Amino acid sequence: MAQERKPKSYGLVVRSIMGRYPLNCILSWEEDRVEKTLRDVASSLPNQNFRFITWSVTTGMIEDGAVISDVIDPLAVLDAIIQIQDPAFFLLKDFHPYLKERHDVVRKLRDVYFAFRNKPRFVFLLSPILVLPVEMKKEIEVIDFELPSFDELLGLFESIVRAFEKRGGTVALDEASYRSFILALQGLTISEATHALTKLLSGKKILEPSMADVLHEEKRQITLKEGILEYVPHVVSMDDIGGLDVIKDWLVRRSDALGEEAAAYGLAAPKGVLVMGVTGCGKSLCVKAIANLWNLPLFRLDMNNLYAGMAGVPEEVFQRALKIMDSVAPAILWIDEIESGISDKTGEGAASRILGYFLTWMQEHSSKVFVAATANRIDLLPAEVLRRGRFDQIFFIDLPIPEEREQIFRVHLRRATQIEAMSKFHLSQLSKATKAWSGAEIEQAVLSAMFDAFSERRPVAVDDLYRSISRTVPLATTMAEQIKKLRSWAHDRAVRASSAPAMPE
Ligand code: ATP
């Protein structure tokens, strides 16, 4: 089963060498993997014996395991590099802060560029984020290292499995379950995947298909630990949504749109949907239901968490999140409250850089990642996001109309195992009593009625519902002006998620 296919990132490095770029910026969190790839490339190049020199602020310059210079200052490092006349690869780790802070370093790097042009000497600046001084944009080639590919993870998995067998372990996997293990590892770095597999096999005698579930859980934990993406389990189905026929139909028609068959048919994979609307009317519900309907993993990116900075510098975290998504594709990325992330509230330009990165990614990513973004304050979103071609569709979810409220009551009353018979008539009366209520408010009314009935250990009755309805003041009463604004904004910019007419009752 082992395949000796070179990873995509290897090809990118070779291409840059062939293109004779003296200065390269490699984007990656995986120093070991990058170094190994560069060494592979250096040793495979014909007719030259390349020296391989690494530098970091803590180690100085190292070649063949020995320190050849203990220079720490970035300017001195570049000076030392310029002096070396042999064919060489220079790998400089975490050099990016100096490109932000030191103009002299940027200037010296340009000198390196001119000195190395058309010479077999190549500098690789390795960092997890892209920092390119404007004056150097033309001279630096950017190499975006993907997270490990399917084949790389397969190679890793096979070598760990072989070692397991050597220790006397039994491998009871068929071809399909091999695949499910690799899918479970996608999105992890090589070292994360190695740790996860080692932990999985420690103390075990047999490797079975069901153990892939443990890896899924491990991945969930790792993404949680990183605090970037939250894996959302499939708990909501289309049947849990009352009303909203238009958006449901749109999603059902695209059920297999990310699959091979759709691609063979000539269909471009849909990029995403933006769902905006009145709070509590089912935006999140719709996104959760897509994952179930399309049978794809759903990851939630919370923009507010991103800016809280718990997981690191927001721009880096955002770039990493999109990279993880690329590598777990096909998958759905839920960007919750997108407006709070990309409208410039920080005043420091971070949000506009994140926006720029997001738009470029939306335009250019070839991975099958479907973005489902939700927004309450659509007026805060920059026009570029809403421009045609970014999202496949923008939906507006309004307050439910009477028939939809009946359906929402039905959905939530399904939970009660003990309930007095309720006719169509009762439901339509309940719907009349909840004029301008949101789905969330109806759900709360049903829950509160169930608590009342349960406290007296009896089935839920219509009167319980009326009582709880009378205790509630719906949001629409206090937010009438805001909802009116939202409707008028959406009128000619978004498609109504429901075929019901937009008529105030
Ligand atoms: P917010 O803007 O506050 O995040 P939202 O529009 O995302 O709100 P949801 O989280 O989808 O709203 O819905 C809130 C709750 O209301 C959910 O628990 C859901 O069960 C219920 N609900 C809302 N709309 C509907 C609906 N159309 N059918 C069934 N339940 C609904």
Side-chain angles (χ1 to χ4, degrees):
M1 201 183 263
Q3 302 163 18
E4 255 315 312
R5 216 190 299 159
K6 292 290 185 196
K8 187 173 163 197
S9 35
Y10 180 96
L12 291 176
V13 175
V14 170
R15 213 181 59 189
S16 150
I17 301 291
M18 294 308 163
R20 295 241 162 217
Y21 286 98
L23 299 182
N24 299 274
C25 174
I26 298 190
L27 292 178
S28 175
W29 278 263
E30 297 183 273
E31 290 193 348
D32 291 350
R33 194 165 142 252
V34 170
E35 187 166 337
K36 182 178 176 309
T37 306
L38 291 178
R39 283 183 187 278
D40 279 357
V41 173
S43 62
S44 70
L45 292 173
N47 311 326
Q48 305 272 11
N49 217 351
F50 281 90
R51 293 174 66 184
F52 196 97
I53 297 167
T54 62
W55 175 87
S56 84
V57 72
T58 48
T59 60
M61 287 169 77
I62 295 187
E63 184 174 12
D64 296 330
V67 178
I68 57 166
S69 160
D70 57 4
V71 279
I72 293 304
D73 181 69
L75 203 63
V77 177
L78 296 178
D79 266 333
I81 283 178
I82 281 192
Q83 303 306 320
I84 295 175
Q85 302 292 317
D86 308 319
F89 275 35
F90 302 95
L91 173 60
L92 311 185
K93 298 175 183 173
D94 282 334
F95 207 74
H96 60 285
Y98 313 116
L99 301 180
K100 268 193 205 160
E101 292 154 11
R102 292 198 35 189
H103 193 72
D104 52 347
V105 172
V106 174
R107 177 60 245 178
K108 183 58 84 183
L109 205 54
R110 294 192 84 184
D111 297 343
V112 172
Y113 173 81
F114 291 114
F116 283 15
R117 237 178 357 171
N118 297 320
K119 307 262 167 44
R121 277 173 263 155
F122 303 95
V123 175
F124 298 90
L125 310 173
L126 169 58
S127 83
I129 58 154
L130 183 59
V131 177
L132 271 190
V134 206
E135 55 271 50
M136 299 231 48
K137 281 212 164 118
K138 298 252 186 298
E139 283 109 15
I140 296 187
E141 171 74 349
V142 177
I143 303 176
D144 196 353
F145 245 61
E146 312 258 302
L147 279 163
S149 65
F150 190 93
D151 286 343
E152 284 174 273
L153 291 169
L154 179 63
L156 173 78
F157 184 63
E158 286 179 335
S159 74
I160 290 181
V161 162
R162 268 198 303 275
F164 175 67
E165 282 178 314
K166 268 197 196 135
R167 293 197 304 272
T170 307
V171 177
L173 301 182
D174 55 16
E175 186 99 13
S177 36
Y178 245 82
R179 205 182 140 72
S180 66
F181 271 87
I182 311 304
L183 286 177
L185 292 171
Q186 278 189 306
L188 303 185
T189 63
I190 288 288
S191 70
E192 285 168 342
T194 308
H195 285 307
L197 285 171
T198 313
K199 198 162 130 192
L200 180 76
L201 292 174
S202 106
K204 301 285 184 327
K205 297 234 171 329
I206 182 161
L207 175 61
E208 296 173 303
S210 62
M211 287 159 77
D213 292 346
V214 181
L215 281 186
H216 277 291
E217 179 53 27
E218 186 76 14
K219 182 156 82 180
R220 204 172 75 84
Q221 294 297 335
I222 289 173
T223 41
L224 266 185
K225 182 183 77 190
E226 300 231 17
I228 309 176
L229 292 163
E230 176 200 351
Y231 178 75
V232 184
H234 289 187
V235 286
V236 173
S237 80
M238 283 287 155
D239 295 342
D240 297 318
I241 307 177
L244 307 181
D245 55 336
V246 175
I247 189 168
K248 277 182 183 165
D249 182 59
W250 191 92
L251 294 170
V252 168
R253 281 175 199 275
R254 281 157 187 76
S255 287
D256 296 314
L258 297 191
E260 299 301 325
E261 205 183 331
Y265 188 83
L267 278 172
K271 282 186 183 305
V273 68
L274 173 61
V275 188
M276 45 94 55
V278 181
T279 184
C281 287
K283 294 185 293 293
S284 314
L285 203 62
C286 286
V287 173
K288 291 181 195 158
I290 309 177
N292 204 337
L293 180 71
W294 294 5
N295 197 20
L296 290 174
L298 171 65
F299 294 86
R300 178 167 170 267
L301 176 67
D302 186 322
M303 285 303 215
N304 281 319
N305 272 353
L306 185 90
Y307 278 101
M310 310 288 274
V313 182
E315 289 164 81
E316 292 180 27
V317 174
F318 189 73
Q319 291 186 18
R320 175 146 166 78
L322 295 188
K323 273 196 172 187
I324 292 178
M325 288 310 299
D326 283 333
S327 62
V328 294
I332 300 170
L333 170 63
W334 171 14
I335 305 187
D336 201 7
E337 295 197 30
I338 187 170
E339 74 276 27
S340 53
I342 58 183
S343 54
D344 204 346
K345 61 177 180 182
T346 60
E348 292 157 13
S352 64
R353 283 195 297 275
I354 286 183
L355 169 67
Y357 190 83
F358 176 64
L359 293 179
T360 312
W361 178 82
M362 272 300 262
Q363 198 94 20
E364 291 175 3
H365 76 276
S366 55
S367 59
K368 291 187 173 172
V369 177
F370 182 83
V371 177
T374 50
N376 288 330
R377 295 283 316 276
I378 199 91
D379 52 313
L380 293 180
L381 279 176
E384 305 94 288
V385 177
L386 305 168
R387 196 174 298 150
R388 279 238 152 257
R390 301 277 191 221
F391 288 98
D392 296 83
Q393 195 56 277
I394 300 176
F395 283 106
F396 169 57
I397 303 193
D398 204 342
L399 287 167
I401 59 154
E403 293 77 44
E404 290 181 309
R405 293 201 295 271
E406 276 183 51
Q407 290 176 31
I408 298 173
F409 268 111
R410 229 180 257 126
V411 164
H412 292 290
L413 282 166
R414 270 192 332 221
R415 281 202 204 135
T417 51
Q418 294 182 35
I419 182 164
E420 276 185 4
M422 269 176 227
S423 64
K424 171 91 183 115
F425 170 77
H426 285 128
L427 285 168
S428 89
Q429 290 304 308
L430 285 169
S431 158
K432 279 198 181 120
T434 48
K435 189 173 150 190
W437 280 43
S438 70
E441 286 158 347
I442 295 176
E443 179 183 23
Q444 281 312 311
V446 171
L447 266 180
S448 147
M450 282 172 67
F451 274 119
D452 289 351
F454 176 70
S455 68
E456 293 168 18
R457 300 294 187 276
R458 56 174 178 74
V460 189
V462 177
D463 284 346
D464 294 315
L465 289 163
Y466 281 123
R467 247 195 320 277
S468 93
I469 288 169
S470 67
R471 292 195 292 255
T472 308
V473 180
L475 206 65
T477 318
T478 49
M479 292 183 50
E481 204 42 45
Q482 214 165 316
I483 293 175
K484 208 167 120 195
K485 265 197 206 143
L486 205 58
R487 279 186 184 140
S488 80
W489 186 96
H491 185 257
D492 46 4
R493 295 179 175 98
V495 168
R496 290 178 61 78
S498 141
S499 59
M503 281 199 315
E505 288 166 57

